[in-house]
Amino acid sequence: IRGIGDALCGLGRFSEALARLNDATSVYQNLEIGDSVNCALAKQGSGTALRGLHRLSESLGKFEEAIEVYSNLGLCISVNCARAVYGSGRSLQALERNKEALQRYDDAIETFITLKLETSMSCAVVTGQKGSLLIGMGNVPSGVRALRRAIEIHELLGLGNSSHCSGDRQELEMVLNRTVSAEVGRTEKVVPR
């Protein structure tokens, strides 16, 4: 059931996905295995579906539940938990709780580094999202560094043409073009005629 829910989520069919993922969670709880990796993954999937439905507070709650399950299982330092932490960051960002979102992205990246996965696609995706958030918060230099790092990881993995990398590259180009235009504008105003 969970696999079908995840596939429906990937297709953007969030209402159907949520129903399947909630069914899977109920099955795990009825079997008294609510504290299992599979149950946590179902909750993560529900969080993603709820975010897709713009039910952001509920989405955040599902990611928090998944993180709690990983914690109960002693799996805080795991790829699955890092992805749940990243998902909670996405929900926080959508709720415009940017400082908290930034902390979640940093926590997820730190987990990938601890697991020696700092050059994984998952780490690249989180790093790119962090860069976008930093730019949105006005910290352009740090945001540019994060976007460049995300692009570097994607290229290292041979994924330079992936949608994530292309998005990061486009955002970086826009920011750099805006910065250059602003600097040229300032220079033109200062130069006497």
Side-chain angles (χ1 to χ4, degrees), residues 50-61 90-91 94-95:
L50 286 162
R51 189 175 60 239
L53 293 168
H54 306 286
R55 292 165 54 186
L56 303 174
S57 294
E58 292 173 82
S59 170
L60 178 59
R90 294 276 315 269
S91 295
L95 288 164

Side-chain angles (χ1 to χ4, degrees), residues 17-177:
L18 182 60
R20 295 295 176 105
L21 291 161
N22 284 341
D23 288 346
T25 301
S26 294
V27 168
Y28 295 129
Q29 290 171 339
N30 289 338
L31 294 172
E32 297 183 7
I33 53 172
D35 264 4
S36 67
V37 171
N38 283 326
C39 189
L41 289 168
K43 290 178 181 195
Q44 276 177 252
S46 295
T48 300
L50 286 162
R51 189 175 60 239
L53 293 168
H54 306 286
R55 292 165 54 186
L56 303 174
S57 294
E58 292 173 82
S59 170
L60 178 59
K62 287 294 181 182
F63 284 114
E64 297 294 339
E65 288 176 23
I67 293 166
E68 183 178 342
V69 170
Y70 291 123
S71 178
N72 292 343
L73 294 171
L75 296 172
C76 289
I77 306 297
S78 67
V79 170
N80 288 332
C81 189
R83 288 179 179 157
V85 169
Y86 166 65
S88 70
R90 294 276 315 269
S91 295
L92 286 164
Q93 185 176 350
L95 288 164
E96 297 181 9
R97 292 167 55 185
N98 293 338
K99 288 183 182 179
E100 293 170 86
L102 184 60
Q103 184 58 57
R104 296 296 172 92
Y105 297 153
D106 283 337
D107 291 345
I109 291 167
E110 185 60 37
T111 299
F112 290 124
I113 291 169
T114 299
L115 294 169
K116 308 276 190 250
L117 295 171
E118 61 270 14
T119 57
S120 66
M121 183 172 174
S122 293
C123 192
V125 169
V126 178
T127 303
Q129 190 70 34
K130 175 185 174 181
S132 295
L133 177 59
L134 284 165
I135 289 166
M137 293 172 72
N139 188 344
V140 175
S142 294
V144 165
R145 276 192 300 277
L147 286 174
R148 283 183 173 149
R149 178 64 182 146
I151 292 165
E152 177 186 330
I153 295 168
H154 278 106
E155 289 174 346
L156 181 69
L157 295 170
L159 300 170
N161 292 325
S162 70
S163 61
H164 283 290
C165 190
S166 295
D168 290 344
R169 195 175 284 115
Q170 284 178 331
E171 182 163 7
L172 180 62
E173 288 172 10
M174 281 185 0
V175 169
L176 293 176
N177 287 337

Side-chain angles (χ1 to χ4, degrees), residues 8-19 48-53:
L8 288 166
C9 210
L11 293 170
R13 294 167 54 183
F14 299 117
S15 294
E16 295 169 81
L18 182 60
T48 300
L50 286 162
R51 189 175 60 239
L53 293 168

